[in-house]
Structure formats: structure tokens, C-alpha cells
Amino acid sequence: DGNEVEGGAKKDNSILVKYFAEGYRKNWMGKKAGDTSTVQLKKAFDEKEREWIIGDLGFNKEDAAAADKYFKIEITKVGLLEKRELNEEFFNQLYPNQEVKTEADFRDKVKAEIQSYWNGQATNQIHDQVFHQLVDHTKIEFPEGFLKKWVKTQGETAKTDEEVEKEFPTFISQLKWTLISDKIVQDNAIVVYPDEIRAFAKQQLFSYMGGANLSDDQPWVTDYVEKMMKDRKYVEDAYNRIQTQKIFEWSATQVKPTDKDISAEEFTKMAEAHQHHHH
């Protein structure tokens, strides 16, 4: 009836009219700041947008009942997005000091970024398959009885037999990967150098800054890196990440991957089906 539930969910957000279901958009035409509308989520939004709207409101997007909820939307501000002119000023704002002067240069730059993204995703997929090949097809005999007793006693409280049985396959998989990766590191003299950890810290810092075009020889950047080098936990984590990357890079040289044309949708589904946490 348009009456707010006491303690109900509230959220300030910026939302485009096109995010609403096509049949619902006309309800916003001619509205101004201060106007309100009561909506049912499943009627106001199509499934694609509704999923993230539900999550944004703090509900479980897997909960079908969440779509039945009603919300009162109040307009606090109305804005209009205008397209920027494709000129050198705009290109320089996006890619400072990178000699992007024409629309053709701009298109090439965007294309290269998209290519780089999918190259990275394809590499991840090769690494994922290498991981499974090594872990799933390397036979190692483990003293399971002893290890299950050990797993049971780890943690602040002892685990039940059911919990041990549930966790054990993941534990064995991680243990097997640790032994395999240690063997690869030793046999191939894979080394992580301090300067590589420094470069990793610098790269992370720049990614936190939104990929800003920063000069890496500024004193504050150096100070940040040296501070992180004194953080033992950070150094261990960075070391493990770089070492794992080197292991996969070496492993990829031992196989002959074949190129296969595939749609972005098919590839994304394939990648999602193989998602798991690598040790």
C-alpha cells in the first residue's frame, strides 16, 4: 500500500532508466525530484538487472522470494548522460601521454585492451587445465588414516567424522598440489627474486589507483613498496603468487595448446564450470 516496513531495507543508488523493464520505463517519464513510485522488483526489472539489484539491496539473489518484495523509489536527482565528443582532449584524458590522437588510434587502443583481457582469460584456462592434468592424473599414495586424524584435530575445536570426510578431498587435492609444485620448483630451479616482489607490490598499488598513469619512480611509490617489503605476511603471499605464476608459465611450455574459435558466452560458461580455488 506504499507504507514503509519498519526496519526495511533502504538504499541510495544511481540507476539508469534503461535498467528498468522495457514496459516499466514509461512510468518515469516526466517525473521530477521528490516524486515516488511503489514497485515490485520482479515487475520493475527484468531478470538480468533484477539479480544485481536484489544483491545491491542486501538480499540473497538466489532467493526467489526476494523478487516478490515491494519498494518505494523516491527520485532524489534527475541527470542526463551525454556522450563525449571523440577528440584528442578526450583520448588524452583516458590515455594520458600515450599518443592517442585520432578515433582510429582510440579504436586500436580499445581493441588491444579487449584482446589483452581475452588473452589473459585464455591463459588462465590453459593453467586451469594444466592444474587438473597434474593433480587428477598424478598418483600419490597418502596415509589417509593418519591424515584424517590430523585434519580432525586441526582448528580450535575438533571436527566431527562427517566434517572430516567432507573436507578431506579438498585437503588431499591441496596437499598433492603442494608436493607437485615443490617438485617442479626444485627440478626447474624456479626462483622468486626480491625485485620481482617489489615490482608486484608496485603493480598492485597502481591497480588500486584505478590504473592511473603514475610514474613509478616517485618517492612515495618507493616508500610504499619498501614498507610492504617489511610486512612478512605480504611478502610471503606475494612470493607464493609469483611462484605459482612461474610454475604455470613453465607448465604451459610443456604442452602444445590448440587454438579454438569460441564465442564469449561459451567461453565464460566453460570458465565458470571450472572455477575453484587454486592453492
Side-chain angles (χ1 to χ4, degrees):
D1 299 322
N3 300 316
E4 291 182 22
V5 174
E6 191 175 334
K10 287 188 178 185
K11 180 80 179 182
D12 289 330
N13 208 342
S14 176
I15 190 166
L16 300 177
V17 171
K18 71 176 183 181
Y19 288 165
F20 287 89
E22 191 172 353
Y24 199 86
R25 294 170 197 167
K26 63 181 183 296
N27 295 336
W28 294 118
M29 297 303 113
K31 300 286 187 182
K32 62 186 186 304
D35 288 350
T36 63
S37 176
T38 300
V39 304
Q40 189 177 26
L41 297 181
K42 68 180 179 185
K43 291 180 180 173
F45 301 98
D46 288 332
E47 186 176 354
K48 183 183 170 189
E49 281 76 21
R50 187 167 66 235
E51 189 173 279
W52 70 260
I53 290 281
I54 285 171
D56 193 51
L57 290 167
F59 299 110
N60 181 357
K61 60 187 180 184
E62 308 295 335
D63 180 9
D68 295 329
K69 295 184 182 298
Y70 286 85
F71 276 83
K72 183 168 78 173
I73 300 178
E74 179 181 352
I75 300 173
T76 54
K77 187 171 78 171
V78 178
L80 182 66
L81 288 178
E82 293 183 348
K83 288 185 179 179
R84 285 287 299 271
E85 187 181 343
L86 295 178
N87 56 27
E88 194 172 337
E89 179 193 1
F90 177 51
F91 303 147
N92 197 49
Q93 189 178 346
L94 286 173
Y95 301 107
N97 307 317
Q98 294 187 45
E99 298 299 310
V100 181
K101 297 183 179 298
T102 66
E103 184 176 335
D105 293 339
F106 177 56
R107 287 181 176 275
D108 287 344
K109 194 75 179 171
V110 172
K111 185 177 180 181
E113 287 188 346
I114 295 169
Q115 183 72 56
S116 175
Y117 170 78
W118 287 111
N119 285 350
Q121 294 298 304
T123 299
N124 288 345
Q125 190 61 29
I126 291 172
H127 290 176
D128 183 80
Q129 291 182 22
V130 165
F131 173 87
H132 278 294
Q133 188 69 25
L134 288 168
V135 172
D136 298 347
H137 300 282
T138 302
K139 190 164 179 60
I140 303 177
E141 295 293 337
F142 290 107
E144 292 198 3
F146 166 77
L147 289 173
K148 283 181 179 179
K149 285 179 185 175
W150 187 81
V151 169
K152 188 170 187 173
T153 59
Q154 294 308 296
E156 294 179 5
T157 56
K159 295 181 175 69
T160 64
D161 290 340
E162 290 77 14
E163 287 172 329
V164 171
E165 290 300 325
K166 187 178 176 184
E167 293 176 16
F168 198 68
T170 303
F171 169 78
I172 283 293
S173 176
Q174 290 180 338
L175 179 58
K176 191 187 273 193
W177 173 245
T178 299
L179 294 171
I180 293 169
S181 56
D182 283 351
K183 175 78 172 156
I184 292 171
V185 166
Q186 289 169 20
D187 288 358
N188 297 280
I190 292 174
V191 181
V192 177
Y193 296 100
D195 281 349
E196 291 177 307
I197 298 175
R198 287 188 174 89
F200 177 82
K202 201 177 289 185
Q203 182 186 9
Q204 258 196 342
L205 173 63
F206 289 171
S207 69
Y208 293 151
M209 306 288 283
N213 195 44
L214 299 168
S215 171
D216 62 3
D217 58 358
Q218 297 178 70
W220 69 272
V221 174
T222 306
D223 289 346
Y224 170 82
V225 170
E226 291 309 317
K227 179 186 173 188
M228 298 315 291
M229 291 298 288
K230 291 177 180 138
D231 183 333
R232 182 176 172 179
K233 187 175 183 307
Y234 179 84
V235 170
E236 285 180 358
D237 180 59
Y239 181 96
N240 289 332
R241 287 196 195 193
I242 297 167
Q243 186 185 69
T244 300
Q245 184 65 23
K246 287 189 173 194
I247 290 168
F248 280 125
E249 285 170 358
W250 172 84
S251 301
T253 66
Q254 307 304 301
V255 296
K256 293 187 175 66
T258 53
D259 285 339
K260 175 183 174 185
D261 288 334
I262 187 172
S263 72
E265 290 76 16
E266 284 179 285
F267 182 83
T268 302
K269 280 180 184 171
M270 182 172 73
E272 285 174 350
H274 287 277
Q275 268 184 351
H276 53 67
H277 180 69
H278 290 309
H279 182 61

